Amino acid sequence: MGGLWEDDEKKDKPVYRQQIIEHVKKPVTQTIFDVKWVPLSARVVACGNYPRNTGCLLIYQLNHGELDLKAEIEKPAPFKCMTFNHSHAETRTLATGNFVGELQLWDLERTDAPIFQTKAHKTIINGIDGACNNGPPEILTGSRDGAVKVWDIRQKDKPVAALEPSNPDRARDCWTVAFGNSYNPTERIAAAGYDNGDVKLFDMRMMKMRFEFNTANGVCNIAFDRADIEMNKLIVSSLEGRIRVYNLRTLHPTLGYSYVEQRVSTGTIWCTKPLPQNREVMMACGAGELALCKYHYPPQQVVKDQEGADKGVPGSVDEVNKATIGQQPVASFDWNRSKLGLGVCSAFDQSIRVVACTKLDLL
């Protein structure tokens, strides 16, 4: 009888299904490479290039179900990536990397000239990230020249740290970078992903390589689940529709970090972004589709191996829901930190979309 009662309870329990809803679709004439919410606002910034190979910054305001264009700025070089993470939410300066290797900082109220500019790399800056939590405000850049550099805007023209290939002629293309482990004023990890599948974790306090490993596929995007805590999980997006979630709490001396791999798309996963309000929930962007996923921790995160060394145990990744929003790859995605479930993304079909994910508080 106990089993029958349990079955009846399961039937009566409501099933909540998180939905991915396209709220706004805004066609544009430019090619958009990155899109971000302006902190503490309903404004969106998009960067990319015009057909005449010049750079564009587009600022939109979300207003009653429409994206209203507030500013359109054209610059000589196309923009590839951008971030607000180096500045506090009240300051809201925008850092950009462009196709000629320039790192620039912009005040969105006065965009006639950058407030900071330096020639950071020899060629295109593929990835950029920032950090200002529990430490100095720094910007991390990765380029096609294979170099990864850390910049302090108070120190112009000279990076705080630089990871450069020993042989520039055989340098691998750095596709993505991310800051993490900023849980106190001295600790910080700079992570970089490369086109050959390499992922490198550089300790900024010790100024040495913490660990490096290979994922067997080109790394399109890396993200820490939270940048301002002791590093917990690293989400790696790669070719062939796969994401890996590494457990960074335990480093085995020979096996490295444990991980779980999940295929969530038929094409390339261009980026995977963890939800700011719940670090176990993430959105993966693939070949015209968005996949909402959730990470589940294992019952026991650390076990002992035969030699008695600590070995991490990977969790599992479940696909909560998936939505096809177009035929072209979704190149970038950003969650709104002020509104749970509100996101913005750009795709190579020359459009910017605002999406709403429902019932995320129930995950």
Side-chain angles (χ1 to χ4, degrees):
M1 291 297 291
L4 293 175
W5 282 112
E6 289 174 5
D7 291 341
D8 291 341
E9 288 175 2
K10 290 179 181 179
K11 290 178 182 178
D12 296 337
K13 187 177 180 180
V15 178
Y16 297 104
R17 179 72 166 171
Q18 285 70 28
Q19 300 291 331
I20 304 172
I21 302 169
E22 183 181 293
H23 180 54
V24 184
K25 180 181 177 181
K26 184 73 174 181
V28 295
T29 57
Q30 304 86 354
T31 299
I32 303 300
F33 292 111
D34 204 357
V35 63
K36 292 283 187 292
W37 288 103
V38 179
L40 303 178
S41 77
R43 289 186 297 164
V44 171
V45 181
C47 73
N49 70 318
Y50 290 97
R52 50 185 173 272
N53 204 33
T54 56
C56 70
L57 284 175
L58 306 174
I59 303 175
Y60 292 94
Q61 175 80 34
L62 182 60
N63 186 24
H64 298 292
E66 295 291 336
L67 279 177
D68 298 331
L69 182 63
K70 294 298 181 182
E72 182 174 348
I73 304 103
E74 184 174 3
K75 297 298 175 182
F79 294 104
K80 180 63 171 66
C81 52
M82 60 182 176
T83 185
F84 285 101
N85 291 342
H86 64 285
S87 65
H88 294 284
E90 296 79 10
T91 310
R92 297 189 293 195
T93 57
L94 179 68
T96 60
N98 64 21
F99 275 56
V100 296
E102 291 175 336
L103 169 63
Q104 299 169 313
L105 259 66
W106 305 91
D107 182 350
L108 295 182
E109 305 300 327
R110 293 181 294 273
T111 56
D112 51 336
I115 57 179
F116 172 89
Q117 178 171 324
T118 186
K119 178 70 172 177
H121 293 271
K122 299 174 184 176
T123 182
I124 179 174
I125 298 177
N126 287 321
I128 190 170
D129 194 18
C132 63
N133 300 306
N134 301 318
E138 292 176 330
I139 299 172
L140 181 64
T141 58
S143 169
R144 184 180 292 168
D145 61 14
V148 176
K149 297 181 181 181
V150 180
W151 302 87
D152 190 327
I153 60 174
R154 301 168 297 183
Q155 176 181 307
K156 192 176 182 182
D157 296 333
K158 186 179 179 182
V160 176
L163 285 74
E164 297 181 312
S166 56
N167 185 355
D169 295 332
R170 301 181 62 185
R172 305 303 310 197
D173 194 342
C174 179
W175 281 354
T176 176
V177 292
F179 269 134
N181 205 45
S182 301
Y183 64 93
N184 68 31
T186 59
E187 293 285 350
R188 190 165 285 173
I189 292 288
Y194 296 82
D195 63 342
N196 64 340
D198 283 346
V199 175
K200 300 179 187 292
L201 303 179
F202 187 76
D203 192 324
M204 293 293 297
R205 181 175 67 86
M206 302 296 292
M207 296 303 287
K208 68 176 185 179
M209 193 69 67
R210 170 76 70 91
F211 192 69
E212 54 184 314
F213 52 89
N214 189 276
T215 63
N217 271 313
V219 178
C220 300
N221 183 260
I222 53 177
F224 289 91
D225 58 347
R226 282 275 296 276
D228 58 348
I229 63 171
E230 190 171 351
M231 60 179 188
N232 181 48
K233 297 195 300 292
L234 182 70
I235 306 165
V236 178
S237 310
S238 63
L239 306 176
E240 298 184 5
R242 302 178 190 276
I243 62 172
R244 284 188 181 186
V245 181
Y246 284 83
N247 176 8
L248 300 184
R249 291 290 187 181
T250 307
L251 177 61
H252 190 273
T254 56
L255 300 177
Y257 295 111
S258 62
Y259 68 90
V260 58
E261 184 175 274
Q262 179 80 7
R263 185 165 188 174
V264 296
S265 177
T266 55
T268 297
I269 300 296
W270 289 76
C271 65
T272 303
K273 295 301 176 72
L275 183 68
Q277 296 87 352
N278 183 354
R279 65 189 187 194
E280 322 311 340
V281 179
M282 63 197 83
M283 184 70 82
C285 304
E289 56 193 9
L290 299 175
L292 184 67
C293 303
K294 184 178 182 183
Y295 179 84
H296 297 277
Y297 288 101
Q300 189 177 0
Q301 293 198 57
V302 182
V303 296
K304 297 287 186 181
D305 66 3
Q306 294 178 351
E307 285 76 25
D310 286 343
K311 175 184 174 184
V313 179
S316 61
V317 175
D318 290 341
E319 188 178 292
V320 178
N321 205 345
K322 183 183 287 187
T324 301
I325 61 172
Q327 301 300 317
Q328 297 297 320
V330 180
S332 65
F333 185 92
D334 192 39
W335 291 106
N336 191 305
R337 292 183 174 272
S338 303
K339 189 70 174 177
L340 177 66
L342 189 63
V344 63
C345 62
S346 66
F348 287 137
D349 59 0
Q350 293 186 304
S351 63
I352 300 170
R353 293 174 173 86
V354 176
V355 298
C357 300
T358 63
K359 299 184 175 68
L360 292 184
D361 57 325
L362 302 174
L363 282 174

